[in-house]
Amino acid sequence: MILLHKMFYFILCICIYYTNAIPPIEQTMEKLIKLISDDQVLKPAEFKFPQWEKKLGLYRSEVRLDFFGEPLQAELRKNKYIYVFDNNMFATGWISSVLLEATVYGRAPKIIDTERLSLAIDAIETFHDHNQNESSVPLMTFWSQIYNQTTNIWQSAPDNLRYLITDFDDSLLLIEDILKLLGIKNIAQLIDKIRTSSAAFKDVFQIPPDFDDTYLNIGLGVQLKLLQDKYPSLYLRWLQTNSNMKKLIDLTLRYAYKPSSQNLDQNTIDPRTYFWIRDFVRDNPQAVLATTWAQNITEVRTIAHRGIRMPFNLNNIDVTVGANVIYGITSAIIYDLVDFKDYFNQDMQTLYLSTASLIAWSIKNSMKNRPDLAQVYYPSHYNFLWYGSRSLFLLELARRQDKSLPDVFNRVYSLLSDVYRSDVVKFFQDHVRSDKSSYDDFLGTNDTNIFGKLEPTGEDRIFSTAQTVNILIASFTYFDTNTGRLKWITNEKQLDTIKIMINNSISWLLENAFKYQPFNCFFSGSVKGFNQLPFWYPANIYQFLNGTTFDPDHFDTENQSLMDSIVGVSGYIDETTYERMISQKHFNVSTPTTFNGYNVPGGEFPFWSSQPYTHSVTLLALAQYNNLDD
Ligand SMILES: *[C@@H]1O[C@H](CO)[C@@H](O)[C@H](O)[C@H]1NC(C)=O
Ligand SMILES: *[C@@H]1O[C@H](CO)[C@@H](O)[C@H](O)[C@H]1NC(C)=O
Ligand SMILES: *[C@@H]1O[C@H](CO)[C@@H](O)[C@H](O)[C@H]1NC(C)=O
Ligand SMILES: *[C@@H]1O[C@H](CO)[C@@H](O)[C@H](O)[C@H]1NC(C)=O
Ligand SMILES: *[C@@H]1O[C@H](CO)[C@@H](O)[C@H](O)[C@H]1NC(C)=O
Ligand SMILES: *[C@@H]1O[C@H](CO)[C@@H](O)[C@H](O)[C@H]1NC(C)=O
Ligand SMILES: *[C@@H]1O[C@H](CO)[C@@H](O)[C@H](O)[C@H]1NC(C)=O
Ligand SMILES: *[C@@H]1O[C@H](CO)[C@@H](O)[C@H](O)[C@H]1NC(C)=O
């Protein structure tokens, strides 16, 4: 009997010993891997409010409303039950990419198996643009498309939002019941706000394919190619629907913004873009810049009424989209994806250099103090910076392997290494919280407690801090293919500072990775409030879709709709003229010349957040830190 007790005690000791023996970093990674895995849809569900439609293989991501301020308001933003599940490609594409990246560059327990990855890849496959008349064109959409028999075209459709708005009043009754159940007061006020926001939702529907999802998918394809040993068959499957690189490059160039072109399709851009980008255009008149949407004015004129249109019928530039296009191109060339490099012609090289220059320029110029316009769809600054840093990391690696690349890659390397190894570090030093370890973007930063005192909730703190680590690692280390370790770039003077910054943030993540809401703001509509409507900004093109021009000073807003209007800037406007235009009113509204942040009254906007995305980038930060050579 005693012996048995002793045995038991002995085993217990061993167990305790081994539990303690697992270092905290491994434990945290295990827990993150489990949480990420739990957030993948393994059983598809149909919409039957309040049950959301969920598509097999996708990871959880949700639409929330950025209310802020008093506890009741803040609750509407962060409540566990108040969100709409969204079936988009972006979150799942990123989570898959991040998990693969952590596998390659990090040291971690097994992150994802073939079966789960294959579910995600299959799901992503369904986000192809079905309106292409050639096969295997890797052009992707944020939401998957459904066929519209009336208009004979495939249309993007955000399932749950569409259902919710189609039978809005039925849903409302249910929403009210649920809110009452949750004990949320002021329901009438909330319903009112949801009503106004859902009206704003409508113009983000029916969108064309975009170059962000498109180049995210290209980067993913390259990773699958590099990991063929680990995940056999997945790359070949990917190739079946993504091999037409010629068409991809044709489309990228066709829809690019070329301010000095004579063609309206190419030289016209959203007036909000022009407002912050104009000095860059002045200094780089021959620029060719990657845009957001795969649609031009000629096309929108005829196809808008069949159900595919860019928001406000015009293309724009978002630096985040640019960063992802740059990464897609960089990885496709360095790792020789299909025959991509055969079509990497002079125009495409110009697009690559111009777009990278714009990214460096916008970081150096703090987005001209208009992040709301520069990151018009993707407000998270930490996320944007990380997307940009990934190209630098690849370029550094290629240089160390003496890969022969077109000269334009050296120029982009210079631009990115300069900005990431100085300006971006400075940005972090200026924005680190008082603990010298963690970072906030904007979710919940302007919340107050019941006494009206400022009490930030840190909802994007985990995400922003993890991305900071990922950016610093991407900027100051390279992957040594011989040892499989990440090595410091030793000729950097500030390396000691960087190591301390990374150490601090890693310690913070180990302690706090599960203590705050793991939210992020990876996507949003382009309009965050009245000030982000394009009509108030100087423009020189005022037309209806049918080509008839109109006068904004005599526009009858009561009886006419701007829905079918094209308000844009064509070509270059000299600065003196532009300054005068800024001082004038447009549609009887003064130009909004300043931006006061994402938490000002009247600026409550819908945003997309994905918890497994936050967990994945945290995992990436820890796995890479765990693989650093000291
Ligand atoms: C596809 O459409 C383009 C115009 O958008 C046309 O030039 C081309 O000939 C078409 N290709 C096929 C195979 O139908
Ligand atoms: C705009 O799209 C149309 C239809 O696809 C195409 O014919 C036209 O060439 C495009 N414009 C430019 C400048 O590429
Ligand atoms: C088809 O498209 C038209 C035009 O956008 C739209 O009015 C109609 O509701 C769509 N039909 C379906 C079934 O979605
Ligand atoms: C970072 O932390 C590691 C171990 O936690 C330590 O060995 C290293 O010296 C630290 N580096 C700096 C610069 O503090
Ligand atoms: C063009 O569209 C506008 C607005 O829809 C309309 O008022 C105008 O009459 C149209 N012009 C022609 C020539 O059809
Ligand atoms: C709008 O149209 C109605 C009826 O056609 C007219 O009475 C009204 O004056 C118009 N509003 C404006 C601002 O012109
Ligand atoms: C323009 O706006 C002012 C208020 O800012 C208003 O008094 C005036 O009536 C408006 N004019 C027109 C033509 O709508
Ligand atoms: C915070 O919110 C208040 C009102 O709720 C607003 O006046 C202020 O400008 C906001 N501050 C920031 C930094 O967003």
Side-chain angles (χ1 to χ4, degrees):
M1 197 59 207
I2 296 224
L3 195 68
L4 208 65
H5 261 109
K6 274 198 172 153
M7 252 330 240
F8 179 72
Y9 182 67
F10 181 65
I11 290 171
L12 194 73
C13 285
I14 292 182
C15 290
I16 290 173
Y17 178 80
Y18 275 99
T19 319
N20 288 340
I22 301 176
I25 193 160
E26 306 275 337
Q27 281 178 23
T28 310
M29 287 194 286
E30 296 271 13
K31 192 164 169 193
L32 288 166
I33 292 167
K34 168 95 172 55
L35 284 173
I36 297 162
S37 163
D38 288 349
D39 268 339
Q40 187 177 28
V41 179
L42 299 178
K43 237 177 72 191
E46 280 181 19
F47 178 87
K48 196 166 183 308
F49 196 77
Q51 165 64 53
W52 303 116
E53 174 161 339
K54 293 181 177 176
K55 291 196 166 143
L56 180 65
L58 291 181
Y59 286 93
R60 172 177 176 182
S61 88
E62 56 208 31
V63 190
R64 294 183 165 273
L65 295 165
D66 183 30
F67 294 123
F68 64 90
E70 303 158 6
L72 178 69
Q73 302 278 331
E75 192 57 29
L76 301 179
R77 177 189 70 244
K78 62 187 187 187
N79 187 280
K80 203 170 162 192
Y81 301 99
I82 306 178
Y83 68 86
V84 178
F85 187 99
D86 190 53
N87 293 294
N88 62 69
M89 162 188 158
F90 195 76
T92 300
W94 275 111
I95 291 165
S96 308
S97 293
V98 171
L99 296 182
L100 294 181
E101 219 154 274
T103 305
V104 177
Y105 304 127
R107 191 164 54 180
K110 187 169 174 65
I111 291 177
I112 185 167
D113 58 31
T114 310
E115 199 186 317
R116 289 299 198 93
L117 182 60
S118 143
L119 281 179
I121 303 293
D122 283 353
I124 290 170
E125 208 281 310
T126 64
F127 289 76
H128 273 86
D129 176 32
H130 297 299
N131 294 311
Q132 292 299 313
N133 63 359
E134 291 177 32
S135 63
S136 303
V137 179
L139 192 65
M140 311 300 286
T141 54
F142 187 81
W143 292 304
S144 58
Q145 296 171 325
I146 49 174
Y147 188 67
N148 183 322
Q149 289 189 326
T150 324
T151 61
N152 192 20
I153 218 162
W154 289 84
Q155 286 177 326
S156 275
D159 322 288
N160 293 315
L161 292 174
R162 187 167 46 99
Y163 293 131
L164 207 58
I165 289 174
T166 319
D167 53 16
F168 196 61
D169 290 315
D170 287 349
S171 323
L172 271 189
L173 289 175
L174 261 161
I175 294 175
E176 278 198 54
D177 288 347
I178 293 173
L179 293 177
K180 274 183 196 144
L181 211 72
L182 294 173
I184 289 181
K185 287 162 249 128
N186 269 349
I187 294 169
Q189 185 202 0
L190 170 65
I191 299 283
D192 227 42
K193 286 194 173 171
I194 294 179
R195 229 183 243 285
T196 19
S197 325
S198 72
F201 270 146
K202 276 198 167 139
D203 78 306
V204 302
F205 289 7
Q206 306 200 337
I207 48 179
D210 66 85
F211 288 106
D212 207 24
D213 288 288
T214 294
Y215 278 90
L216 162 58
N217 180 52
I218 294 297
L220 189 59
V222 173
Q223 282 172 320
L224 292 176
K225 178 179 174 179
L226 295 176
L227 284 167
Q228 281 182 86
D229 291 349
K230 244 194 178 91
Y231 304 103
S233 84
L234 288 186
Y235 177 56
L236 293 178
R237 179 129 44 103
W238 184 88
L239 276 183
Q240 282 171 10
T241 47
N242 291 295
S243 60
N244 197 338
M245 298 299 152
K246 177 173 191 300
K247 186 73 181 198
L248 169 66
I249 289 186
D250 282 352
L251 295 169
T252 308
L253 287 171
R254 179 188 304 171
Y255 300 115
Y257 171 47
K258 300 177 187 154
S260 60
S261 158
Q262 295 304 306
N263 189 322
L264 197 72
D265 275 339
Q266 296 176 325
N267 72 13
T268 311
I269 204 76
D270 189 311
R272 293 171 297 179
T273 296
Y274 194 80
F275 183 85
W276 71 272
I277 212 179
R278 65 187 193 275
D279 289 352
F280 181 85
V281 168
R282 179 196 57 210
D283 298 341
N284 302 272
Q286 300 305 321
V288 178
L289 295 163
T291 53
T292 304
W293 305 111
Q295 190 172 61
N296 68 27
I297 293 179
T298 303
E299 289 168 336
V300 78
R301 288 193 202 286
T302 57
I303 222 168
H305 293 295
R306 289 170 64 197
I308 306 179
R309 64 163 93 207
M310 304 173 273
F312 305 108
N313 309 313
L314 197 54
N315 222 328
N316 56 37
I317 308 268
D318 182 310
V319 286
T320 301
V321 179
N324 290 332
V325 172
I326 293 300
Y327 180 81
I329 298 174
T330 308
S331 64
I333 296 284
I334 292 181
Y335 295 111
D336 202 13
L337 182 70
V338 204
D339 51 0
F340 190 96
K341 73 168 177 328
D342 294 349
Y343 308 104
F344 193 61
N345 55 23
Q346 193 53 56
D347 282 356
M348 200 58 185
Q349 296 194 18
T350 307
L351 176 136
Y352 182 66
L353 180 60
S354 305
T355 306
S357 307
L358 177 68
I359 288 165
W361 179 87
S362 51
I363 294 173
K364 278 202 181 293
N365 289 284
S366 309
M367 310 280 153
K368 286 283 180 183
N369 299 321
R370 292 308 296 266
D372 57 325
L373 307 183
Q375 297 178 229
V376 69
Y377 293 112
Y378 302 92
S380 167
H381 195 59
Y382 294 83
N383 204 30
F384 156 67
L385 288 175
W386 180 62
Y387 290 158
S389 72
R390 298 169 77 238
S391 293
L392 172 59
F393 183 76
L394 282 192
L395 290 169
E396 181 72 47
L397 180 56
R399 289 165 75 84
R400 297 201 177 241
Q401 295 181 326
D402 292 325
K403 291 215 183 201
S404 119
L405 296 173
D407 184 54
V408 71
F409 283 74
N410 293 328
R411 297 178 64 187
V412 168
Y413 173 81
S414 301
L415 287 166
L416 293 181
S417 55
D418 167 49
V419 73
Y420 273 94
R421 291 171 192 165
S422 59
D423 307 76
V424 172
V425 174
K426 175 108 187 8
F427 173 84
F428 292 143
Q429 287 167 342
D430 291 347
H431 288 84
V432 68
R433 294 179 64 247
S434 58
D435 62 7
K436 294 278 174 239
S437 308
S438 61
Y439 302 80
D440 276 347
D441 208 333
F442 59 85
L443 288 178
T445 53
N446 201 11
D447 282 359
T448 47
N449 62 19
I450 50 168
F451 307 109
K453 196 165 163 284
L454 204 61
E455 199 171 88
T457 53
E459 277 157 42
D460 58 28
R461 192 169 296 162
I462 298 171
F463 182 77
S464 307
T465 305
Q467 290 297 50
T468 300
V469 171
N470 289 326
I471 293 159
L472 291 173
I473 289 180
S475 310
F476 290 95
T477 73
Y478 67 94
F479 186 66
D480 181 346
T481 43
N482 295 321
T483 60
R485 305 292 302 266
L486 288 169
K487 290 204 162 141
W488 296 104
I489 295 170
T490 44
N491 56 351
E492 281 299 320
K493 293 186 296 297
Q494 29 172 5
L495 211 51
D496 288 341
T497 314
I498 303 301
K499 285 182 180 173
I500 293 169
M501 288 168 77
I502 293 177
N503 263 21
N504 289 349
S505 294
I506 291 289
S507 307
W508 187 91
L509 284 172
L510 288 174
E511 199 164 310
N512 296 287
F514 309 105
K515 286 200 185 146
Y516 296 90
Q517 291 273 32
F519 288 175
N520 47 55
C521 178
F522 73 81
F523 179 67
S524 70
S526 70
V527 178
K528 311 285 187 300
F530 186 77
N531 283 352
Q532 282 87 18
L533 281 164
F535 312 111
W536 325 141
Y537 294 84
N540 57 12
I541 295 285
Y542 292 96
Q543 293 186 357
F544 290 111
L545 286 175
N546 61 17
T548 311
T549 58
F550 65 85
D551 177 359
D553 295 331
H554 298 93
F555 191 83
D556 170 11
T557 38
E558 215 174 285
N559 293 323
Q560 284 179 294
S561 159
L562 283 167
M563 174 75 184
D564 284 342
S565 70
I566 299 173
V567 173
V569 175
S570 162
Y572 179 70
I573 303 174
D574 79 83
E575 188 59 20
T576 321
T577 312
Y578 195 85
E579 295 276 350
R580 197 185 66 235
M581 292 165 89
I582 289 180
S583 69
Q584 292 161 348
K585 289 187 172 184
H586 311 276
F587 297 95
N588 200 26
V589 174
S590 304
T591 310
T593 52
T594 52
F595 173 62
N596 297 317
Y598 294 109
N599 294 301
V600 294
E604 299 86 355
F605 62 95
F607 69 98
W608 275 249
S609 173
S610 168
Q611 313 197 13
Y613 184 34
T614 297
H615 294 316
S616 315
V617 300
T618 309
L619 175 66
L620 178 64
L622 297 177
Q624 293 193 115
Y625 176 81
N626 201 32
N627 197 29
L628 281 171
D629 224 9
D630 25 42

